Amino acid sequence: TGQALNGITTFSVAAPQSAGNYTLTATDGSDTSASVNITIAPALVSSVAFVQQPTNVVAGKDIAPAIVVRATDQYGNIISGDTVTLAVESYPSGTLYGSFMATTDASGNSTFDSISLPTAGSYMLVAADGAISSGNSSTFTVSAGAASALVFAQQPSNAPAGAAVGPAVIVDVLDQFGNLVATDN
């Protein structure tokens, strides 16, 4: 219902909450008129969420399946062509990581298919789109890779003939990134 003045009726119409193409129809009794097609774009990003969580992986290998984050507006409309940043939220002591960026596709998804971490340990990620954050991902583990080096953790010391060398000699088995390979003898 609108307000008529001098044969002109004015309507205050709120845009639909669902993005898409629309046509408005005006009806007066048996008379009907359709507007031109209008496009309702999504509102600003209000949520980013993990669609595919990170999974356990071996150091230096890409996380598979790829991590996927979806951006939506407050009405659940997908946001395409927007930049989502993925960062390491919690990680093993002494390691530092940057962030990774991907653009949302037509489904609102940012796909991170080349994410690998070299340091063994437990991790969590966080996704963000500007000031909007996803909260933390599920926790995942990066395990050591295949053995590639032997390192003396405790060097042998001088000892008299026939006596035990003390302290005991310790040799660490490491992968190519310096992670301790605990499953190797």
Side-chain angles (χ1 to χ4, degrees):
T1 304
Q3 293 190 348
L5 179 62
N6 298 327
I8 299 174
T9 304
T10 305
F11 297 89
S12 290
V13 178
Q17 293 179 352
S18 295
N21 294 318
Y22 293 88
T23 302
L24 301 180
T25 304
T27 305
D28 182 13
S30 62
D31 292 333
T32 301
S33 179
S35 71
V36 296
N37 246 357
I38 60 171
T39 300
I40 303 300
L44 297 175
V45 174
S46 67
S47 173
V48 288
F50 285 92
V51 175
Q52 173 61 55
Q53 294 279 347
T55 56
N56 295 340
V57 67
V58 173
K61 301 289 184 188
D62 289 343
I63 295 173
I67 300 164
V68 179
V69 177
R70 180 171 295 143
T72 57
D73 69 10
Q74 67 189 23
Y75 305 110
N77 295 305
I78 57 174
I79 309 292
S80 63
D82 216 46
T83 301
V84 173
T85 303
L86 190 65
V88 178
E89 181 69 9
S90 68
Y91 46 85
S93 177
T95 58
L96 296 175
Y97 294 100
S99 62
F100 313 92
M101 294 185 344
T103 302
T104 55
D105 62 17
S107 299
N109 294 333
S110 293
T111 302
F112 299 88
D113 54 5
S114 296
I115 302 294
S116 65
L117 300 163
T119 305
S122 180
Y123 291 83
M124 280 192 296
L125 303 176
V126 64
D129 187 325
I132 307 299
S133 172
S134 68
N136 292 340
S137 71
S138 57
T139 302
F140 65 101
T141 302
V142 175
S143 57
S148 71
L150 299 174
V151 175
F152 280 93
Q154 175 61 57
Q155 292 284 342
S157 60
N158 296 329
V165 175
V169 176
I170 300 173
V171 177
D172 288 343
V173 179
L174 305 177
D175 70 6
Q176 68 179 1
F177 302 106
N179 296 306
L180 184 63
V181 181
T183 58
D184 199 82
N185 293 324

